């Protein structure tokens, strides 16, 4: 059996709005990397922060993925249904003395770069609501990996601080949920935007603390506006096209943004035909290791 026979990748959007060109690039990159390795590609809806997730945005995203031909394997999972799994992980960390409640407010420690760990040996103010943090001083593991695009990455554990696992408002933190779910879904390869690269060390610390495997990582150049902002709902990135010409053009554009140099005639082909070509020709070594890629002008 080849190593790639076990490949399991995923796309894990936060349903804060419809997908735009930037999220299409992340979805497409992870899809192509999985399919080119004859692997599986899963979808997980990261809706742990309800105020950020308007109703119906999840089904819009799934419809958009289908319209672009990005079909997934297995059942979609929703983080909003996974509270028990996150609680179980937190309990496990607490039992091992690796997580602690913290009553401090950001205002109290704003003079420091990272939270100084004042509540590590007992909560500072028992009358206040608490967040839960990881003891980064105990959850030791050299944090670093060989990113498939950005190469060797090393982070000083002392500079990471005690990451929040559960917030004071009782919402689960992204770092905990993502680690628990990547392991639950058996993810072997994470392909996602460069904006998440500096989250990876916390996720690795948590993987170690929970005795979970660490996947391989490939961070993709982030599509940014002409003034360097990440495309997002906040800066009014337009939603992906819905009609067939627009879909073909944007899929083609996403392949260009991934430096795959699609032949010009491919733009007129159906999403299925474009994807077939892209899977056969997928090459990570074509990708330029740039943190940011400006949105190309409308063609
Ligand atoms: N939910 C995150 C986002 O939409 C992505 C998480 C991940 O890929 O690890 O930015």
């Amino acid at each position: 059996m080849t190593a790639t026979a076990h490949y399991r990748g995923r796309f894990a959007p936060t349903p804060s709005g419809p997908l735009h060109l930037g999220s299409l690039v992340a979805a497409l990159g992870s899809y192509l990397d999985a399919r080119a390795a004859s692997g599986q590609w899963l979808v997980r809806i990261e809706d742990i922060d309800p105020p950020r997730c308007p109703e119906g945005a999840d089904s819009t995203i799934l419809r958009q993925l289908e319209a672009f031909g990005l079909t997934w394997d297995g059942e979609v999972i929703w983080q909003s249904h996974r509270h028990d799994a996150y609680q179980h992980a937190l309990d496990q960390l607490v039992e091992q003395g690796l997580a602690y409640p913290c009553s401090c407010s950001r205002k109290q420690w704003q003079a420091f770069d990272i939270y100084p760990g004042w509540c590590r040996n007992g909560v500072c103010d028992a009358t206040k609501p608490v967040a839960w943090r990881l003891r980064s001083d105990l959850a030791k593991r050299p944090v670093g990996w060989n990113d498939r695009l950005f190469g060797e990455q090393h982070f000083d554990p002392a500079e990471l601080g005690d990451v929040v696992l559960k917030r004071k408002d009782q919402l689960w933190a992204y770092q905990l949920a993502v680690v628990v779910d990547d392991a639950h879904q058996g993810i072997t390869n994470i392909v996602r935007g460069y904006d998440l690269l500096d989250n990876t060390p916390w996720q690795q610390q948590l993987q170690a603390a929970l005795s979970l495997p660490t996947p391989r990582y490939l961070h993709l150049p982030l599509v940014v506006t002409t003034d360097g902002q990440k495309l997002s709902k906040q800066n009014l990135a337009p939603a992906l096209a819905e009609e067939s010409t627009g879909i073909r053009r944007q899929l083609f554009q996403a392949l260009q943004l991934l430096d795959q140099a699609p032949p010009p005639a491919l733009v007129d082909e159906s999403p299925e035909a474009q994807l077939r070509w892209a899977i056969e020709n997928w090459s990570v070594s074509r990708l330029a290791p740039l943190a940011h890629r400006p949105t190309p002008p409308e063609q």
Side-chain angles (χ1 to χ4, degrees):
M1 195 181 288
T2 63
T4 54
H6 295 297
Y7 188 117
R8 277 165 81 86
R10 53 47 160 200
F11 176 54
T14 300
S16 53
L19 300 181
H20 46 72
L21 186 63
S23 28
L24 177 62
V25 166
L28 181 62
S30 66
Y31 173 89
L32 293 176
D33 199 56
R35 296 301 188 217
S38 307
Q40 294 192 305
W41 187 66
L42 312 182
V43 171
R44 177 169 79 233
I45 301 289
E46 300 212 319
D47 58 345
I48 30 168
D49 190 350
R52 280 184 60 209
C53 303
E55 217 183 301
D58 52 352
S59 33
T60 302
I61 288 175
L62 297 176
R63 222 182 43 237
Q64 289 176 304
L65 290 174
E66 280 172 339
F68 278 77
L70 301 173
T71 48
W72 55 87
D73 296 303
E75 301 283 322
V76 173
I77 72 168
W78 273 260
Q79 290 192 325
S80 55
H81 299 171
R82 304 244 325 128
H83 296 287
D84 292 351
Y86 308 143
Q87 188 62 53
H88 179 74
L90 179 58
D91 291 346
Q92 207 180 315
L93 294 171
V94 172
E95 257 167 50
Q96 297 176 80
L98 294 177
Y100 64 93
C102 169
S103 63
C104 299
S105 67
R106 198 177 195 109
K107 219 168 140 195
Q108 289 173 287
W109 56 271
Q110 66 189 358
F112 302 82
D113 285 341
I114 55 171
Y115 175 62
W118 292 325
C119 288
R120 278 179 183 167
N121 296 312
V123 69
C124 290
D125 183 344
T127 65
K128 290 226 185 98
V130 293
W132 289 81
R133 292 180 180 273
L134 182 72
R135 278 201 66 155
S136 61
D137 56 331
L138 301 180
K140 281 194 205 112
R141 177 192 265 189
V143 273
W145 72 98
N146 189 1
D147 194 275
R148 291 171 57 206
L149 183 57
F150 291 95
E152 288 297 333
Q153 304 292 317
H154 294 287
F155 288 78
D156 179 355
E159 283 171 17
L160 291 175
D162 292 356
V163 71
V164 171
L165 307 169
K166 190 178 192 179
R167 299 172 7 182
K168 275 191 189 165
D169 58 11
Q170 299 307 298
L171 291 179
W172 294 102
Y174 156 68
Q175 311 294 355
L176 180 74
V178 81
V179 162
V180 169
D181 288 343
D182 282 332
H184 172 70
Q185 293 188 291
I187 301 303
T188 59
N189 281 69
I190 292 183
V191 179
R192 61 183 177 191
Y194 180 82
D195 55 329
L196 293 163
L197 184 140
D198 60 4
N199 285 257
T200 305
W202 285 309
Q203 294 173 17
Q204 289 191 320
Q205 279 190 328
L206 267 170
Q207 287 153 0
L210 291 164
S211 307
L212 299 172
T214 289
R216 290 184 79 201
Y217 290 94
L218 164 59
H219 289 90
L220 297 171
L222 205 61
V223 184
V224 294
T225 60
T226 38
D227 55 1
Q229 303 293 308
K230 179 188 170 188
L231 289 193
S232 69
K233 212 176 66 162
Q234 288 71 31
N235 57 38
L236 306 176
L240 290 174
E242 288 180 20
E243 35 56 61
S244 84
T245 315
I247 288 175
R248 287 167 193 220
R249 193 182 308 131
Q250 284 182 331
L251 191 55
F252 184 82
Q253 210 174 34
L255 289 172
Q256 289 178 316
L257 283 163
L258 288 167
D259 297 324
Q260 297 302 297
L266 202 68
V267 70
D268 299 318
E269 303 279 346
S270 66
E272 290 68 29
Q274 291 198 30
L275 292 174
R276 248 193 325 273
W277 178 90
I279 292 167
E280 267 167 38
N281 292 280
W282 173 245
S283 166
V284 174
S285 61
R286 282 214 199 97
L287 267 168
L290 296 172
H292 297 138
R293 295 289 309 259
T295 318
E298 274 297 308
Q299 295 171 350

